[in-house]
Amino acid sequence: MNAAVAEITEKEEQAITETRMVTGAQGLLLALLEEGVDTIFGYPGGAIMPIYDALYDFKDQLNHYLVRHEQGGAHAAQGYARITGKPGVCFATSGPGATNLITGIADAQIDSTPLVCITGQVFSHLLGTDAFQETDVLGVTMPVTKWNIQVTRAEDIPDAVAKAFYIATSGRPGPVLVDITKDAQNATFEYSYKKCKRISSYYPVPKLNEKAIAEAAELINNAQKPYVLWGQGVILSHAQEDLKAFIEKAGIPAAWTIMGLAGLPTDHPLNVGMLGMHGNYGPNLLTNECDVMIAIGMRFDDRVTGDLKRYARQAKIIHIEIDPAEINKNVRVDVAVNADAKAALQALLPLINENKHEAWLQKFNECAQIEYTKVMAPEIAPTTGKVKMAEVIHQVSELSEGKAVIVTDVGQHQMTAMRYYRFKDMRRSNITSGGLGTMGFCLPAAMGAKVGAPDRQVIAVIGDGGFQMTLQELGCIFQYQIGVKVLILNNNFLGMVRQWQQLFHQKRYSFTEMVNPDFVGIAKAYGISGNKVTERDNLQEAIQTMLDHQGPYVLEVVVEKEDNVFPMVPAGDSVANIRLS
Amino acid sequence: MAIDDYQIDSGEEKTYTIFAFTENKVGLLNRITIVFTRRHINIESITVSESEVQNVYRYTIIVKTTYAQVEKLVKQIAKQVDVLRASFYPEEETIFQEIAMYKIPMSSMINGSQVEQIVRDSYARILTVDPQYIIIEKTGHIEETRELFEKLSPFGILQFVRSGRVAITKHMKDLSTYLREQEEAYL
């Protein structure tokens, strides 16, 4: 076939597509395909049945995973989005189906994760009548979505979907929700699709301000003790290599928020560690000594800053951030660079001088040595007593060679995983619930991550409390044989709350002790292999078995009951008052 | 005056007028008010109307808060997808008015022309005369409409209503110029 004929055929095909009569439900699925979607996590129900009926004919193109709870669907979509960089898509029915998505949506909102949630809604003539399974999902999700829309006419579905994907993925990413009434799903219309490339009232990516860049460069070039803090913005803008080039040229020590973790290899000489409440000693202590702070793609969360009145008051602050609403929100800055992290770092690189700040870096190294001796060494290599969380993570890190994707829930195990897993792979390797701190996030998110990256080793590190919040997703993992490795660190406590109760509530352990079921037995009931370890001597072999196992696997490690995570900055205290014990 | 033109935050609470220019979308009012609710900030008044540009709506929102807080509020409003522009101004940078209506019984007019005199002295006007009541209208600042309320009270006020504030800025830059500048900053 010659080129001219091919062109005509293509045009003809396009014309056929454009005039094709479809139902709203079919139109939705066609629109998803136009956006490159191939994976959906969802749960059917009455108000979304036409979409599920249409999905039956799209099984070859759209892989649908039947989760066991809509919350699992939202978290799975988050895990998928976080590892692939593509928007996660989930389906739910009206009313309780839609409200079950809320935790995942709120989590995605605060952690800037692109999600497109499609919910079925009751017939439009029933809207507002308290019809069966009717909820004002638009009103309910408004505070936790970047954007949402209710569609009541089939012909409006393609445009709504196009806008939804554009908004979810552009600028600072976030969750969007499209609520579609049942009559709109059923009605037929003439389908055509046009991708959204611009919305007149929405400016997702600011133009680089050369003046701000020059001011930032001047501050950096004149700094004696410059200090970089980076967050997830670096990963979202694919600026890992740019960050590395930037800090290496200027010789600047750099520390990360938990959302920015794995943006730079853990063992890079300028990577000085983790910020915040359970972060490393030096990065917190020396925050109040630096003279120029360069914050990149992070939002000065209270878990990072502690008491703002005593946070880096001596420093000139440069904030590189794509979302203008984050600038001056918590910390007043001296130079605001409202820009995408990659664009800003690339513009800064030629303007900054080559430098080394050896004495300043040495201060971080001295702090690291103190922390290693006092905290880390006893944690990762104990010889007596019960198994410690840190030694488990340390061994996972060694045996997986720092190349696994680590997905965590929320609590002590999360902080331990952040502190002790040594990431070597700068691709998206760390998935956690940072801002919302959602227990129950890990298992479904890990499931979604493994679906998104089937060739990577995905390890869900999870506490006994969080595991029980969404463990029903073992059903989904089993049904689709999603090869996620589940590592339960079981201390039979809600560990982080217990730690606070010990330190700040006179050991009044109010309702934090848990009597747990047989986790491995539960896994086996779901057809998933597993093992339980209680002794240190068996740990290494058990971890290796888990890593080598083909398919899903659950490893429960019983750890010390009253282990604490240190260092710690008590809530509301200055970061300089970080405690080592 | 743009946000960046204000440099000093004294931490003192003042009355600010927030303007938001928006698309006409279902639910947007809710999205905007959530910004205030989340921060536990009370809206003193809110008025939504058409603006000088076709299909663009103007929100006029009055709050009493600090500079630091109003700056954050405006950034959060501006961030909403369907908001074209949001800005804020202290009272002295705007010209503003409210409208008040008073319904008083016709019987109050029987004892001479006292009410009529008050209406005239207050630069108010009588909107409607009914065998049972009259309705008086006054535009002005809150102090002026309240003063008339007090003067009319002895005659028995059956109903009273005061609108939210409507305001116009003193500066000469028009919305189209702002939007063009905004577009140039991003595209």
Side-chain angles (χ1 to χ4, degrees):
Chain A
M1 197 189 297
N2 64 39
V5 175
E7 196 181 326
I8 290 164
T9 312
E10 221 172 87
K11 274 184 186 165
E12 281 172 353
E13 273 175 9
Q14 200 179 351
I16 291 164
T17 310
E18 281 169 1
T19 56
R20 188 174 166 188
M21 293 300 288
V22 298
T23 65
Q26 290 166 329
L28 168 75
L29 301 180
L30 290 169
L32 294 180
L33 288 173
E34 304 258 15
E35 292 293 340
V37 174
D38 56 18
T39 302
I40 298 160
F41 302 92
Y43 203 98
I48 198 169
M49 276 177 70
I51 290 172
Y52 270 86
D53 185 64
L55 190 58
Y56 202 66
D57 297 323
F58 283 78
K59 278 195 286 191
D60 294 342
Q61 296 153 282
L62 292 166
N63 300 312
H64 179 272
Y65 291 86
L66 176 64
V67 294
R68 298 306 193 257
H69 188 287
E70 289 87 351
Q71 185 186 349
H75 290 324
Q78 284 180 276
Y80 180 88
R82 290 277 294 276
I83 202 156
T84 61
K86 297 188 331 189
V89 179
C90 56
F91 284 178
T93 192
S94 63
T99 55
N100 281 344
L101 294 176
I102 304 296
T103 306
I105 295 174
D107 193 288
Q109 170 86 337
I110 201 161
D111 281 350
S112 311
T113 307
L115 279 195
V116 176
C117 305
I118 309 289
T119 50
Q121 181 55 278
V122 300
F123 284 95
S124 51
H125 71 272
L126 293 174
L127 286 171
T129 67
D130 296 327
F132 177 67
Q133 291 196 331
E134 187 205 354
T135 296
D136 172 18
V137 68
L138 219 61
V140 169
T141 58
M142 215 165 255
V144 290
T145 48
K146 188 173 174 187
W147 182 74
N148 63 5
I149 188 169
Q150 187 171 65
V151 183
T152 55
R153 303 184 323 155
E155 55 267 41
D156 294 336
I157 290 173
D159 277 352
V161 172
K163 263 183 97 170
F165 275 85
Y166 176 64
I167 293 167
T169 53
S170 54
R172 181 177 178 179
V176 302
L177 182 136
V178 181
D179 190 45
I180 309 174
T181 58
K182 202 167 175 182
D183 47 316
Q185 296 172 43
N186 284 329
T188 50
F189 74 109
E190 205 171 282
Y191 174 83
S192 67
Y193 196 77
K194 196 174 164 202
K195 277 204 174 193
C196 179
K197 289 185 179 149
R198 197 180 160 222
I199 297 169
S200 60
S201 54
Y202 172 61
Y203 299 97
V205 184
K207 208 188 262 181
L208 207 59
N209 182 335
E210 301 292 344
K211 188 167 162 269
I213 291 287
E215 284 172 11
E218 193 185 343
L219 272 182
I220 294 164
N221 287 336
N222 292 320
Q224 301 304 308
K225 295 178 178 179
Y227 184 26
V228 162
L229 316 181
W230 91 83
Q232 194 195 197
V234 167
I235 295 162
L236 291 172
S237 72
H238 309 283
Q240 292 95 321
E241 291 294 343
D242 307 282
L243 172 72
K244 190 161 166 274
F246 171 73
I247 61 170
E248 282 175 355
K249 185 174 180 188
I252 306 178
W256 38 272
T257 72
I258 62 168
M259 297 300 289
L261 173 56
L264 192 69
T266 309
D267 57 7
H268 188 283
L270 289 167
N271 184 345
V272 294
M274 170 175 167
L275 293 160
M277 184 174 272
H278 292 288
N280 294 113
Y281 185 50
N284 278 302
L285 189 72
L286 298 174
T287 294
N288 283 358
E289 272 198 34
C290 67
D291 60 353
V292 174
M293 174 182 275
I294 307 129
I296 309 169
M298 56 87 76
R299 59 186 179 85
F300 292 108
D301 179 78
D302 62 283
R303 281 292 189 270
V304 163
T305 64
D307 181 9
L308 282 168
K309 292 192 181 74
R310 290 180 284 166
Y311 182 77
R313 304 298 284 189
Q314 79 292 343
K316 293 275 184 195
I317 298 178
I318 301 163
H319 194 182
I320 298 171
E321 168 58 48
I322 197 164
D323 180 355
E326 290 298 345
I327 294 172
N328 289 330
K329 189 180 86 175
N330 297 328
V331 171
R332 278 265 154 199
V333 304
D334 297 280
V335 178
V337 182
N338 180 206
D340 173 71
K342 191 181 187 76
L345 286 169
Q346 287 185 344
L348 268 174
L349 192 64
L351 302 184
I352 56 166
N353 300 335
E354 280 197 33
N355 211 335
K356 283 187 181 1
H357 296 280
E358 280 167 351
W360 171 230
L361 183 62
Q362 183 54 27
K363 285 199 158 206
F364 284 91
N365 293 338
E366 284 163 13
C367 287
Q369 194 53 50
I370 293 168
E371 183 179 349
Y372 186 80
T373 310
K374 290 194 172 173
V375 182
M376 297 174 83
E379 288 285 316
I380 58 177
T383 50
T384 56
K386 295 278 186 190
V387 176
K388 284 179 161 279
M389 285 180 284
E391 67 176 310
V392 182
I393 300 297
H394 178 67
Q395 292 211 24
V396 172
S397 184
E398 295 287 307
L399 295 172
S400 62
E401 298 171 339
K403 290 178 184 165
V405 175
I406 299 295
V407 187
T408 47
D409 214 70
V410 172
Q412 285 185 317
H413 72 276
Q414 177 192 31
M415 292 299 117
T416 307
M418 304 285 140
R419 287 177 48 80
Y420 292 95
Y421 193 87
R422 299 187 70 76
F423 289 88
K424 293 203 168 97
D425 193 335
M426 283 164 74
R427 289 178 295 168
R428 293 155 177 264
S429 299
N430 167 51
I431 298 173
T432 193
S433 171
L436 199 64
T438 304
M439 284 177 70
F441 170 86
C442 178
L443 186 67
M447 181 173 92
K450 185 65 182 173
V451 167
D455 297 332
R456 296 185 71 184
Q457 180 76 270
V458 175
I459 305 173
V461 180
I462 188 165
D464 45 310
F467 181 61
Q468 290 183 85
M469 283 198 173
T470 48
L471 67 75
Q472 71 274 18
E473 296 310 336
L474 289 175
C476 183
I477 289 168
F478 167 59
Q479 181 171 349
Y480 302 98
Q481 284 298 300
I482 301 166
V484 62
K485 307 294 164 24
V486 183
L487 174 63
I488 305 168
L489 298 181
N490 181 7
N491 55 11
N492 292 297
F493 257 126
L494 298 176
M496 189 58 94
V497 183
R498 188 212 54 76
Q499 177 169 339
W500 282 46
Q501 287 172 332
Q502 180 189 336
L503 299 175
F504 311 116
H505 295 272
Q506 298 79 46
K507 291 194 177 183
R508 286 155 57 88
Y509 294 159
S510 182
F511 300 100
T512 43
E513 187 161 17
M514 295 189 110
V515 176
N516 283 315
D518 172 6
F519 289 130
V520 177
I522 288 173
K524 284 189 176 151
Y526 276 107
I528 296 171
S529 302
N531 190 16
K532 179 176 180 174
V533 171
T534 54
E535 301 302 322
R536 178 167 294 117
D537 291 346
N538 303 329
L539 185 61
Q540 188 173 338
E541 191 187 339
I543 292 170
Q544 191 62 58
T545 304
M546 174 185 80
L547 295 176
D548 293 342
H549 185 83
Q550 294 297 305
Y553 193 87
V554 171
L555 174 63
E556 176 190 353
V557 181
V558 178
V559 296
E560 188 176 312
K561 208 165 160 62
E562 296 183 53
D563 204 1
N564 286 337
V565 188
F566 281 108
M568 181 178 190
V569 179
D573 206 343
S574 165
V575 287
N577 289 341
I578 183 165
R579 293 170 53 169
L580 285 170
S581 59
Chain B
M1 193 177 293
I3 294 169
D4 291 343
D5 296 340
Y6 295 93
Q7 296 297 331
I8 302 157
D9 176 23
S10 62
E12 176 198 354
E13 283 203 350
K14 286 171 70 173
T15 299
Y16 290 97
T17 305
I18 296 172
F19 294 111
F21 292 93
T22 76
E23 310 267 7
N24 185 22
K25 293 285 163 64
V26 173
L28 188 56
L29 175 63
N30 200 358
R31 269 197 182 272
I32 287 174
T33 56
I34 284 167
V35 170
F36 296 82
T37 314
R38 273 191 73 187
R39 289 159 185 78
H40 206 82
I41 290 174
N42 198 28
I43 293 174
E44 301 284 322
S45 84
I46 183 165
T47 313
V48 186
S49 69
E50 288 181 326
S51 76
E52 64 275 23
V53 180
Q54 204 180 358
N55 298 325
V56 172
Y57 285 74
R58 175 198 277 259
Y59 285 61
T60 308
I61 306 165
I62 310 301
V63 285
K64 204 169 182 184
T65 188
T66 61
Y67 168 83
Q69 198 62 262
V70 74
E71 182 189 19
K72 289 174 198 173
L73 289 168
V74 166
K75 283 181 171 181
Q76 292 295 336
I77 293 168
K79 192 172 151 173
Q80 304 304 321
V81 168
D82 296 312
V83 173
L84 292 150
R85 173 183 157 76
S87 54
F88 69 95
Y89 300 82
E91 262 186 330
E92 57 271 23
E93 294 293 327
T94 65
I95 306 292
F96 57 90
Q97 291 284 276
E98 291 166 351
I99 179 166
M101 288 165 72
Y102 315 73
K103 181 177 172 182
I104 61 172
M106 183 51 105
S107 56
S108 61
M109 299 287 277
I110 294 167
N111 303 324
S113 59
Q114 234 180 320
V115 170
E116 202 183 329
Q117 189 61 46
I118 290 168
V119 168
R120 199 174 298 131
D121 291 348
S122 307
Y123 299 102
R125 65 181 181 131
I126 295 170
L127 274 186
T128 300
V129 179
D130 183 272
Q132 290 182 300
Y133 59 82
I134 63 168
I135 293 176
I136 297 159
E137 176 226 301
K138 165 142 187 76
T139 56
H141 289 187
I142 192 166
E143 299 77 20
E144 296 165 293
T145 53
R146 191 185 292 139
E147 190 184 340
L148 179 57
F149 181 91
E150 279 157 17
K151 283 182 182 166
L152 291 173
S153 286
F155 304 97
I157 294 177
L158 300 171
Q159 282 185 48
F160 169 72
V161 63
R162 187 169 53 227
S163 74
R165 188 183 284 190
V166 291
I168 278 178
T169 56
K170 287 182 180 175
H171 68 74
M172 288 300 291
K173 207 186 267 187
D174 66 355
L175 177 61
S176 311
T177 309
Y178 274 124
L179 295 181
R180 198 176 58 249
E181 284 174 0
Q182 188 164 281
E183 199 161 299
E184 282 165 4
Y186 282 82
L187 301 174

